[in-house]
Amino acid sequence: MAEDELLLERLYRISGILTAEPDPSSYTLVSRSLFHCDQEVRERAIFIGGLRWADPLILSSFIGAITVGLESVDENRRLMVESLVSATLRGRLDALSIASWLRTVIGLGDVNSLQAKAAYIGLLRIQGEITTAESATLDYDDVIID
């Protein structure tokens, strides 16, 4: 089994552990994996650190990665934005700050990108204009940014 496959397997195991506080070795593995060359490894690390743990340090790295364009995969950027919105809705991040940043993200590039559409939907969610259930049923292909 290749090294990347073993890493991905370890990340999948970590993502199945339901814990509020990750152990130090898992945290290190996930943090390092955010910068891995394989997009699937990065995606799994984004899921764990951003959605599962909602770790403030990892979430702040998402803001930086999107703002300066460090993540090349649009799907991964979408997941980062959704992680930040989720953490905001759970009260882990300041809603006004994230809403302001999402407005910036919408204008960073192609408005048809998953990143821009996730930012737009996230902004609507933070502002209470759509519910979580409504956003879950949206097809990003049908989303048009005003």
Side-chain angles (χ1 to χ4, degrees), residues 108-133:
L108 282 177
D110 180 9
V111 293
N112 292 315
S113 69
L114 293 173
Q115 169 187 296
K117 290 179 179 189
Y120 179 69
I121 297 303
L123 184 58
L124 295 176
R125 286 182 65 199
I126 289 172
Q127 293 172 340
E129 294 179 33
I130 62 172
T131 67
T132 300

Side-chain angles (χ1 to χ4, degrees), residues 2-22:
E3 187 177 318
D4 287 354
E5 290 175 2
L6 288 173
L7 174 58
L8 199 53
E9 184 178 308
R10 288 181 64 198
L11 289 170
Y12 272 103
R13 254 183 296 163
I14 292 170
S15 67
I17 299 170
L18 299 175
T19 179
E21 293 295 321

Side-chain angles (χ1 to χ4, degrees), residues 50-51 59 62 66 75-90 101-102 114-115 117-119 121-122 125 135 140:
L51 287 173
L59 290 168
F62 294 173
I66 290 171
E75 181 66 32
N76 286 352
R77 293 190 307 268
R78 176 201 58 81
L79 187 55
M80 288 178 175
V81 169
E82 289 176 352
S83 296
L84 288 158
V85 170
S86 176
T88 301
L89 293 172
R90 290 185 284 166
W101 177 76
L102 289 171
L114 293 173
Q115 169 187 296
K117 290 179 179 189
I121 297 303
R125 286 182 65 199
S135 69
Y140 277 14

Side-chain angles (χ1 to χ4, degrees), residues 65-76:
I66 290 171
T67 302
V68 300
L70 290 177
E71 176 56 58
S72 60
V73 179
D74 193 29
E75 181 66 32
N76 286 352

